[in-house]
Amino acid sequence: MGLHVDEHSNYNVLSRIATSDGHGENSSYFDGWKAYDNDPFHPIDNPQGVIQMGLAENQLCLDLMQQWIKQNPQASICTGEGVSEFKDVANFQDYHGLPDFRKAIARFMGKARGGGATFDPERIVMSGGATGAQETIAFCLANPGEAFLIPTPYYPGFDRDFRWRTGVQLLPIQCHSFDNFKITEPALVTAYQRAQTANIRVKGILVTNPSNPLGTTLDRETLRTLVSFANEKRIHLVCDEIFSGTVFDKPTYVSVSEIVEEEPYYDRDLIHIVYSLSKDLGVPGFRVGVIYSYNDAVVSCARKMSSFGLVSTQTQHLLASMLGDDDFTTKFLAESRRRLSRRHKYFTAGLHRVDIKCLESNAGLFCWMNLTHLLNEATVEAELKLWRVIIKEVKLNISPGSSFHCSEPGWFRVCFANMDDNTMETALKRIRKFVSPGNHTAAAQAKKKNKRWDAALRLSLPRRFEELSIMTPRLMSPHSPLVQAAN
Amino acid sequence: MAKKGVPLSEMATSDTHGEDSPYFVGWKVYDENPYDAASNPSGVIQMGLAENQVSFDLLEDYLEQHPQEFGWGCGVSSFRENALFQDYHGLKTFTRAVALFMEQIRGGRTQFDPQHIVLTAGATAANELLTFILADPGDGLLIPTPYYPGFDRDLRWRTGVNIIPVHCNSSNGFQITLRALEDACAGAESMKVRVKGLLLTNPSNPLGTAITRPVLEEILDFVAHKGIHLISDEIYSGSVFSSDEFVSMTEIVESGGHQERERVHIVYSLSKDLGLPGYRVGTIYSYNNEVVTTARRMSSFTLVSSQTQKMLASLLSDKEFTENYLRTNRERLKKRYEFVVEGLSNAGIRCLQGNAGLFCWMNLGELLEEPTVEGELSLWNSMLHEAKLNVSPGSSCHCLEAGWFRVCFANMSQQTLEVALMRMKDFTEKMKAKQMISSL
């Protein structure tokens, strides 16, 4: 049995999709994660290690869920109390999902949004996390080569989720700090026209509300502008509301669903919501993604596609019970908001004391921190240089704004909900030390054009920034190779 | 205001999702009028669903005897870590357990390296994912007929890849021949479709037969010669009635086919052997590192719930349990199969000699008004609406010979099966009588 390689031999060549960079993991930003993984902070075992502040996870309220599970063993099909349901649950693979699960999710979505809108269980479609939901929506709404407009800065994972296997493009709507990164009509128009000039067909707009990485919520006026623009141009509007339950402060959250309910004049067939329990509940491992569309054809198509990424019925069963417990969800959402608010206030106050400002925010699991004053020049290279100093010298893994396609260098996303109070305090101490005046360490040095630092940093700088797909693997969910499977 | 619909994608408006096939239409008729011994004894009996319900009690017993170890049951302190775990490498204990289980199914004849296991939410996702990795839109995958109707959607819909059927027929028990493979390739070439791989289901759905060693070797030779990939969907590997009758492609690779290993990829799932389709546990096992890495990245769109991984890790790591389960499951399936074949024989119906799976491949050629797809669908329709039995017509499986039907037998109780067989007998007698009258 010899290996006859004829002219059609191509087994060692995989598809274009497989061999492209669309997965988003080829990046010098691996260096940042390596630094953390090689030297992870631990209060006792490794107090000098790198603190992970690049992970947008909500770890503040898992104790509440844990307590509920303990008190409700029947919700788990592998306990004595719950095992009688085992067979039916294990056997159920209908892509409509368990009816109780859909009802509970619809109800929870309404509550997470402050009760401003109601959701119809019949429109709930499952997906493999929000990651799967984004990809599925792209497959439903756009053909390869067509584009969605997206405000910057945005979650790096979208480049993979929306584009990789779909062939759909993402074109930026540039937002700027002078008006707090607001999405303006002129910016929308500019982005749209630029696409037209380049002969690219725009199929829709993708926004995240609350925003990742900004942590801000869209006001009613902006939402109306978006919906109106979509109607006028006859394009879709996809709203990723994955952080809707993390709004901890005023202004009150407005979901696009409220606009739909308030304004019958607008075509609701254009409006689609992506949701997930990974952030609001803090259960990313359970892979609970939701597509909620007001368009019947999209619901139908997305539901068929959900066969490729259904939620485990074991998990559906547990969550149907938990989220069906009204008492619990009311208390949970309130307490979660309270803890996030407290954490946010504490962190931003700590930064403020050393003259570091963050964009004023009322939601999310992170701050959008302004370190533009620490750059010696307003360039991406300078931002990356500062970033590497922060990782290596300050031992904090934060995320540079350039990886979010931010139009202005010097902004960083810093996560605050994935650690305990003591770790938070430690992080603040390190920041204070880094920026204190007269400090001969990194901060002062970083401002100088000092080649010594470049040499000292064993990490490599990207030479042509624009060429690289600017992803840090930990910025994207699910988490990637550098994380050792822990169990 | 006159609203003009804003277009969706072409993908969304095509019918490549395949749900208009009789395969699915029958399900809908069943859903509207499902049989229940007590509340709806004249309802439709579902014989079109390849599910394994014969061994649930073994799982239930195990869970009842081992409640502490599962999920968080009483071990709630691990909830937090588990809920946060979204690493696409999967839980180490789980991938190890899956590797072990797959080895056990193959009687320890091959080894599986957990590091080469990629988890996906079901085999549906695994097959689509491999197609995305191995082929570009417009390329072709060879698939022997008859095949599982779901492939039309899973392999083609979102990938844009074509299925090139490799036609098999009853003259040799529907075995895959070199001639059929070559013919299919020639056909693809004439249509200017680039063939990128061959996808086998072993044991076969809908045939219910395990592919023999000589045929497997011939197939591996063929793909090597053509320089293409080989996907072996072994989702029914634990449902072979005698464990020594199953030969996995991994065995062919490891016993002399070593140099071709980089082109071989195995798909597996717990949906059939363990009867857990709801939990969405699929896996890809590839010897090719590049495929493993890429598949892992793509699995981001379709991971297995960490809660489910944790629970099943315990269960599958219990060697005593899994040995007993596999053995008992095989015995029960074999008994069912023999019972069905005998029952069908009493109704004058022949089946293909099978040795695996959750179904029979039966021949009703004699009852067709005409030996065509139309004739077959007409008979199928009669069976559905008159006998109230939902079976799957061979044409929906792309079988070229009219008159074959797939009959599932493991998704119902013994009593229901008896009722179904009686209905089948009545139906065939009625049809034969009709034929006699019309030929007078």
Side-chain angles (χ1 to χ4, degrees):
Chain A
M1 185 168 52
L3 177 62
H4 302 287
V5 177
D6 65 11
E7 67 199 8
H8 297 297
S9 163
N10 49 20
Y11 86 94
N12 51 2
V13 174
L14 305 183
S15 67
R16 282 190 291 272
I17 286 176
T19 46
S20 79
D21 272 346
H23 52 76
E25 289 183 19
N26 282 347
S27 166
S28 63
Y29 292 91
F30 259 104
D31 299 341
W33 308 112
K34 279 185 191 138
Y36 169 74
D37 285 330
N38 291 336
D39 184 19
F41 171 82
H42 186 275
I44 300 160
D45 301 337
N46 190 19
Q48 301 307 319
V50 176
I51 297 178
Q52 175 63 282
M53 303 193 88
L55 200 52
E57 267 178 10
N58 185 355
Q59 296 186 20
L60 300 184
C61 287
L62 289 163
D63 59 314
L64 299 177
M65 293 186 68
Q66 208 156 286
Q67 198 180 27
W68 187 93
I69 286 171
K70 230 179 171 161
Q71 290 162 358
N72 292 273
Q74 79 291 345
S76 191
I77 45 84
C78 42
T79 57
E81 294 85 339
V83 77
S84 57
E85 302 274 344
F86 173 76
K87 182 174 163 148
D88 288 338
V89 169
N91 204 45
F92 184 90
Q93 56 173 328
D94 181 346
Y95 61 25
H96 289 79
L98 289 171
D100 282 346
F101 173 69
R102 273 188 299 153
K103 265 187 231 131
I105 292 277
R107 189 150 171 69
F108 187 72
M109 281 176 74
K111 281 177 104 158
R113 285 155 181 70
T118 52
F119 292 87
D120 177 2
E122 299 298 309
R123 293 193 175 280
I124 302 272
V125 175
M126 294 181 283
S127 61
T131 300
Q134 288 294 356
E135 187 191 53
T136 297
I137 260 286
F139 270 127
C140 289
L141 301 180
N143 297 320
E146 295 178 341
F148 263 65
L149 305 178
I150 183 167
T152 64
Y154 65 83
Y155 164 59
F158 284 153
D159 286 327
R160 170 197 62 191
D161 301 348
F162 225 77
R163 300 182 323 165
W164 188 17
R165 304 193 301 182
T166 62
V168 174
Q169 303 190 55
L170 283 176
L171 302 175
I173 301 166
Q174 299 294 4
C175 303
H176 306 280
S177 61
F178 68 77
D179 59 359
N180 295 323
F181 297 95
K182 194 173 148 88
I183 306 166
T184 64
E185 189 155 4
L188 259 175
V189 170
T190 303
Y192 186 83
Q193 282 175 350
R194 201 182 296 130
Q196 301 245 282
T197 312
N199 258 322
I200 300 171
R201 182 166 179 196
V202 174
K203 270 325 244 318
I205 306 167
L206 170 62
V207 299
T208 307
N209 176 32
S211 160
N212 174 10
L214 303 176
T216 53
T217 53
L218 296 180
D219 58 34
R220 227 181 200 87
E221 190 203 335
T222 307
L223 277 168
R224 285 217 182 92
T225 302
L226 288 164
V227 175
S228 172
F229 189 83
N231 269 262
E232 187 205 329
K233 302 293 181 200
R234 307 301 298 149
I235 60 178
H236 295 278
L237 176 60
V238 177
C239 292
D240 186 338
E241 301 192 343
I242 197 177
F243 293 99
S244 49
T246 66
V247 180
F248 50 76
D249 206 350
K250 289 207 167 23
T252 316
Y253 181 65
V254 182
S255 158
V256 73
S257 53
E258 289 182 54
I259 308 297
V260 167
E261 287 183 15
E262 285 165 6
E263 309 275 359
Y265 178 77
Y266 291 130
D267 183 359
R268 50 172 65 193
D269 274 355
L270 305 177
I271 313 293
H272 324 276
I273 297 175
V274 164
Y275 185 59
S276 159
L277 299 181
S278 301
K279 309 295 179 185
D280 289 350
L281 277 189
V283 292
F286 293 176
R287 313 315 301 151
V288 183
V290 175
I291 295 167
Y292 188 93
S293 175
Y294 290 91
N295 183 320
D296 291 345
V298 173
V299 170
S300 174
C301 179
R303 191 161 276 142
K304 293 179 171 99
M305 286 188 182
S306 68
S307 300
F308 298 110
L310 295 172
V311 177
S312 167
T313 45
Q314 177 195 15
T315 303
Q316 289 186 48
H317 182 76
L318 174 78
L319 293 171
S321 198
M322 187 187 289
L323 299 182
D325 184 342
D326 243 352
D327 231 4
F328 171 75
T329 52
T330 304
K331 291 199 178 97
F332 179 92
L333 285 167
E335 182 60 20
S336 175
R337 287 174 184 129
R338 196 190 70 79
R339 293 183 189 184
L340 283 169
S341 172
R342 186 175 155 270
R343 186 50 82 78
H344 173 262
K345 277 197 176 69
Y346 184 75
F347 186 60
T348 49
L351 292 176
H352 195 76
R353 271 195 283 278
V354 291
D355 287 327
I356 293 180
K357 296 203 174 50
C358 291
L359 183 72
E360 202 169 307
S361 63
N362 63 328
L365 312 173
F366 31 73
C367 294
W368 189 233
M369 184 167 73
N370 186 342
L371 296 185
T372 53
H373 57 292
L374 294 183
L375 300 188
N376 57 356
E377 54 183 38
T379 63
V380 170
E381 284 73 24
E383 175 187 283
L384 295 183
K385 196 164 150 183
L386 174 62
W387 174 60
R388 289 189 155 86
V389 166
I390 293 173
I391 293 176
K392 190 175 177 355
E393 301 300 325
V394 191
K395 301 274 193 101
L396 296 177
N397 190 18
I398 62 178
S399 312
S402 46
S403 58
F404 294 85
H405 301 275
C406 186
S407 57
E408 298 167 30
W411 291 84
F412 291 79
R413 189 192 75 173
V414 192
C415 298
F416 56 66
N418 62 315
M419 61 189 71
D420 60 30
D421 287 342
N422 291 330
T423 310
M424 170 105 295
E425 182 51 51
T426 308
L428 279 170
K429 273 204 192 92
R430 291 184 186 181
I431 294 173
R432 278 198 287 270
K433 189 164 168 226
F434 175 62
V435 298
S436 62
N439 188 346
H440 289 296
T441 56
Q445 299 285 15
K447 281 207 82 161
K448 298 186 197 155
K449 256 189 176 167
N450 193 336
K451 295 286 185 211
R452 184 168 72 83
W453 285 105
D454 289 338
L457 295 174
R458 288 184 307 275
L459 314 168
S460 57
L461 273 173
R463 251 189 279 133
R464 287 248 343 254
F465 180 78
E466 296 76 23
E467 273 176 352
L468 295 170
S469 98
I470 34 182
M471 284 319 145
T472 44
R474 277 294 198 111
L475 283 175
M476 307 194 299
S477 293
H479 301 142
S480 65
L482 297 180
V483 178
Q484 295 309 311
N487 51 296
Chain B
M1 170 181 127
K3 291 180 194 161
K4 197 180 80 168
V6 175
L8 307 185
S9 63
E10 274 159 28
M11 197 179 285
T13 43
S14 82
D15 55 9
T16 322
H17 52 72
E19 284 192 18
D20 302 325
S21 149
Y23 183 76
F24 295 104
V25 167
W27 286 13
K28 286 180 194 139
V29 174
Y30 163 75
D31 283 333
E32 282 153 19
N33 182 20
Y35 171 84
D36 182 281
S39 57
N40 190 19
S42 59
V44 176
I45 297 181
Q46 173 63 290
M47 303 192 90
L49 193 53
E51 267 176 14
N52 183 359
Q53 297 186 26
V54 306
S55 303
F56 258 129
D57 58 310
L58 300 176
L59 292 166
E60 281 166 334
D61 286 346
Y62 189 76
L63 290 177
E64 272 163 18
Q65 288 153 23
H66 301 81
Q68 311 273 358
E69 295 170 55
F70 292 109
W72 323 292
C74 307
V76 124
S77 55
S78 59
F79 165 76
R80 187 196 165 92
E81 200 183 287
N82 184 242
L84 290 172
F85 184 84
Q86 55 172 324
D87 181 348
Y88 59 33
H89 288 79
L91 276 179
K92 268 210 179 95
T93 50
F94 183 58
T95 50
R96 249 186 265 135
V98 170
L100 234 116
F101 190 61
M102 288 173 77
E103 282 173 11
Q104 276 185 310
I105 285 174
R106 290 155 185 75
R109 294 186 294 273
T110 49
Q111 308 262 266
F112 288 89
D113 177 0
Q115 305 214 356
H116 281 251
I117 286 185
V118 178
L119 299 173
T120 61
T124 300
N127 281 315
E128 187 198 41
L129 207 142
L130 275 174
T131 307
F132 267 123
I133 290 176
L134 303 177
D136 288 317
D139 287 345
L141 278 185
L142 301 169
I143 319 256
T145 68
Y147 62 78
Y148 163 56
F151 282 158
D152 287 328
R153 171 198 62 189
D154 300 351
L155 307 174
R156 300 185 318 161
W157 189 19
R158 308 191 306 180
T159 62
V161 171
N162 297 301
I163 290 180
I164 315 284
V166 178
H167 285 296
C168 305
N169 60 66
S170 59
S171 67
N172 68 345
F174 293 94
Q175 286 190 83
I176 303 160
T177 64
L178 196 55
R179 175 69 192 273
L181 287 167
E182 294 285 4
D183 281 351
C185 274
E189 221 168 295
S190 69
M191 290 189 297
K192 304 256 187 298
V193 172
R194 201 171 57 151
V195 174
K196 285 312 272 296
L198 166 63
L199 189 150
L200 288 181
T201 306
N202 178 29
S204 160
N205 174 11
L207 301 175
T209 54
I211 304 179
T212 63
R213 184 180 291 270
V215 174
L216 289 172
E217 283 170 350
E218 195 170 56
I219 288 171
L220 189 57
D221 264 350
F222 173 81
V223 301
H225 178 78
K226 291 290 182 192
I228 62 177
H229 288 277
L230 176 58
I231 300 173
S232 185
D233 185 339
E234 303 189 350
I235 196 177
Y236 294 100
S237 48
S239 303
V240 184
F241 308 150
S242 291
S243 70
D244 53 7
E245 286 185 25
F246 174 62
V247 180
S248 165
M249 196 44 91
T250 55
E251 292 177 57
I252 307 297
V253 162
E254 296 191 14
S255 66
H258 240 111
Q259 69 227 69
E260 309 306 338
R261 48 197 262 159
E262 299 267 314
R263 62 175 86 251
V264 175
H265 323 284
I266 312 292
V267 167
Y268 185 58
S269 156
L270 301 182
S271 299
K272 309 295 178 184
D273 293 342
L274 278 186
L276 304 173
Y279 292 172
R280 315 315 299 145
V281 181
T283 88
I284 294 169
Y285 188 87
S286 176
Y287 293 94
N288 184 319
N289 283 323
E290 208 186 327
V291 171
V292 170
T293 303
T294 309
R296 199 162 269 148
R297 287 176 176 147
M298 262 189 208
S299 70
S300 301
F301 299 110
T302 182
L303 295 178
V304 178
S305 168
S306 54
Q307 177 195 18
T308 299
Q309 289 188 50
K310 193 162 171 82
M311 174 187 71
L312 292 177
S314 299
L315 187 141
L316 289 182
S317 300
D318 188 328
K319 264 198 121 172
E320 207 185 298
F321 168 75
T322 51
E323 294 276 7
N324 179 54
Y325 180 92
L326 287 169
R327 186 182 45 246
T328 311
N329 185 49
R330 285 187 183 116
E331 283 165 12
R332 290 180 182 180
L333 287 174
K334 183 170 189 204
K335 263 211 182 93
R336 274 286 169 105
Y337 172 79
E338 284 166 351
F339 182 73
V340 172
V341 168
E342 196 189 318
L344 291 174
S345 173
N346 286 342
I349 300 173
R350 292 184 299 115
C351 288
L352 180 72
Q353 175 111 5
N355 62 345
L358 313 174
F359 30 74
C360 294
W361 188 236
M362 79 176 171
N363 188 317
L364 298 181
E366 291 173 354
L367 298 183
L368 298 186
E369 277 178 20
E370 45 180 64
T372 59
V373 173
E374 288 71 29
E376 179 184 283
L377 289 179
S378 168
L379 183 64
W380 168 73
N381 215 35
S382 300
M383 234 186 310
L384 182 59
H385 291 103
E386 292 170 28
K388 302 277 182 23
L389 296 172
N390 180 34
V391 300
S392 309
S395 47
S396 64
C397 302
H398 302 275
C399 184
L400 275 196
E401 288 176 34
W404 291 88
F405 294 79
R406 188 191 73 171
V407 189
C408 298
F409 56 68
N411 61 314
M412 62 190 77
S413 68
Q414 181 74 14
Q415 290 80 3
T416 308
L417 195 54
E418 283 166 22
V419 173
L421 288 170
M422 257 190 331
R423 288 188 189 180
M424 191 72 82
K425 184 156 197 267
D426 289 342
F427 177 75
T428 53
E429 278 169 4
K430 208 174 70 177
M431 293 302 290
K432 283 197 176 127
K434 251 196 207 159
Q435 272 184 333
M436 274 215 306
I437 291 168
S438 64
S439 71
L440 288 173

